[in-house]
């Protein structure tokens, strides 16, 4: 309840999460039928990077600020186009003042048949999120603990969906809670595509978290990680990871193109790295770089 994403909006972790989210949405849209995006920890939906809070940390400068100015190869540019075009649309006068949270980004990419369910527990943030989507019949905004949504709001009536779980990691047991939440949700909606975000930092129980996920009765789980700096002497966030359950068959190859480019442009020191690998399923690994 103390976490406010405005301090971190547009940082390198947002970039990785939102790039992958756009790839998942575009894959879903290869079929005519509609689908639903369920965002369990939605935030306020749209962030003003000129605000006092965002300027206080300036984290976006080392995230989307770098990527918008980067020279990208043609294939990487094509993969990033939905994401970067949405940001340009929000900033028609140039520069980057407004940055979309995941619910706003998803909504900007939707077709008429696609739908959004966004959960936010923080009362002030819920009010702002609800106001942002007021009158939008494609979006349902609920003041609710996102962990409860993994039971109460699945499966979606569309029978196709992306479930984005991006908790604030304020509690010590969040990694375990994330695994338990996935297990609960998967039982209700085994055909869904799940995208789970987690932080990389010194001392984080990543190995144990991965082992817990591997023990679940889930056939395909792909993992993507991006570290922008060494964790030596640093207690804060040094990287971020995503676990994608039931990933599109195209995603692994797309990550092979995207992760090296993101590492090159978002690196904060020479120890930056990336990796993509299967936790369950296809035993082929994209090597670290």
């Amino acid at each position: 309840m103390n976490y406010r994403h405005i301090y971190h909006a547009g940082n390198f972790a947002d970039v990785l999460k939102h790039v992958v989210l756009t790839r998942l949405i575009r894959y879903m849209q290869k079929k005519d039928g509609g689908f639903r995006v369920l965002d369990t920890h939605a935030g306020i939906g749209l962030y003003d990077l000129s605000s006092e809070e965002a300027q206080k940390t300036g984290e976006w400068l080392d995230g989307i600020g770098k990527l918008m100015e980067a020279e990208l190869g043609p294939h990487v540019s094509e993969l990033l186009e939905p994401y970067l075009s949405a940001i340009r649309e929000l900033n028609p006068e140039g520069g980057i003042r407004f940055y979309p949270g995941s619910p706003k980004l998803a909504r900007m990419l939707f077709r008429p048949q696609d739908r959004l369910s966004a959960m936010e527990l923080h009362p002030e943030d819920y009010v702002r999120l609800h106001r942002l989507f007021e009158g939008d019949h494609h979006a349902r905004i609920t003041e609710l603990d996102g962990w409860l949504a993994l039971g109460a709001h699945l499966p979606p009536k569309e029978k196709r969906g992306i479930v984005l779980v991006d908790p604030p990691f304020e509690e010590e047991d969040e990694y375990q809670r994330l695994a338990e939440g996935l297990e609960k949700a998967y039982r209700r909606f085994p055909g869904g595509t799940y995208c789970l975000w987690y932080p990389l930092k010194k001392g984080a129980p990543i190995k144990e978290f991965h082992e817990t996920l591997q023990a679940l009765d889930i056939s395909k789980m792909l993992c993507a990680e991006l570290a922008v700096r060494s964790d030596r002497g640093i207690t804060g966030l040094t990287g971020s990871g995503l676990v994608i359950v039931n990933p599109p068959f195209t995603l692994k190859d797309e990550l092979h193109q995207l992760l090296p480019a993101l590492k090159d442009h978002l690196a904060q020191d020479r120890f930056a790295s990336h990796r993509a690998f299967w936790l369950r399923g296809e035993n082929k690994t994209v090597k670290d770089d």
Side-chain angles (χ1 to χ4, degrees), residues 63 148 183 191 264 283:
L148 298 178
E183 183 178 26
D264 288 346
N283 292 315

Side-chain angles (χ1 to χ4, degrees), residues 14-246:
D14 262 4
V15 170
L16 176 63
K17 175 179 63 182
H18 291 151
V19 166
V20 171
L21 177 62
T22 61
R23 299 316 310 159
L24 296 178
I25 289 173
R26 283 294 185 247
Y27 182 81
M28 283 279 185
Q29 291 172 337
K30 290 181 181 293
K31 293 184 178 181
D32 292 335
F35 63 92
R36 185 171 294 270
V37 171
L38 173 62
D39 191 339
T40 63
H41 299 75
I44 64 175
L46 184 64
Y47 299 91
D48 184 349
L49 300 181
S50 69
S51 68
E52 180 180 350
E53 296 91 342
Q55 290 292 318
K56 184 176 181 179
T57 60
E59 288 187 17
W60 67 275
L61 293 169
D62 285 327
I64 189 57
K66 286 183 176 180
L67 192 62
M68 291 295 285
E69 302 298 325
E71 293 186 9
L72 304 166
H75 188 49
V76 171
S77 294
E78 181 181 354
L79 293 173
L80 291 175
E81 186 274 335
Y83 171 57
L84 297 181
S85 289
I87 297 169
R88 294 189 187 102
E89 183 179 337
L90 290 172
N91 298 278
E93 297 180 359
I96 314 171
R97 177 181 175 183
F98 295 106
Y99 184 82
S102 47
K104 178 66 173 177
L105 178 62
R107 181 65 184 92
M108 293 178 74
L109 298 176
F110 277 178
R111 306 164 301 176
Q113 63 268 44
D114 303 327
R115 296 292 185 271
L116 169 71
S117 291
M119 313 297 155
E120 178 52 49
L121 182 60
H122 194 290
E124 293 179 20
D125 289 357
Y126 163 74
V127 169
R128 296 182 66 177
L129 183 67
H130 187 272
R131 188 182 301 127
L132 179 66
F133 288 101
E134 192 167 9
D136 186 344
H137 299 296
H138 291 77
R140 181 173 64 183
I141 312 302
T142 306
E143 187 174 6
L144 181 70
D145 184 339
W147 296 112
L148 298 178
L150 294 175
H153 289 259
L154 294 176
K157 66 180 182 179
E158 293 82 5
K159 307 303 180 185
R160 302 176 63 226
I162 299 167
V163 181
L164 177 64
V165 188
D166 177 21
F169 277 85
E170 291 182 302
E171 306 294 335
E172 291 183 1
D173 65 346
E174 292 279 48
Y175 291 94
Q176 183 64 30
R177 198 175 188 187
L178 192 56
E180 292 172 354
L182 172 61
E183 183 178 26
K184 176 181 178 181
Y186 188 82
R187 284 199 302 265
R188 295 181 61 90
F189 186 35
T193 294
Y194 297 82
C195 186
L196 317 178
W197 181 86
Y198 61 93
L200 301 179
K201 53 186 178 180
K202 190 171 185 177
I206 305 302
K207 183 174 182 292
E208 294 81 0
F209 174 56
H210 287 168
E211 290 173 348
T212 299
L213 293 176
Q214 287 171 327
L216 300 180
D217 187 20
I218 297 175
S219 60
K220 285 194 175 183
M221 286 188 280
L222 181 65
C223 187
E225 292 184 346
L226 174 68
V228 298
R229 57 184 176 178
S230 167
D231 64 4
R232 290 187 177 182
I234 296 175
T235 58
L237 190 71
T238 59
S240 70
L242 296 170
V243 172
I244 305 98
V245 173
N246 295 330

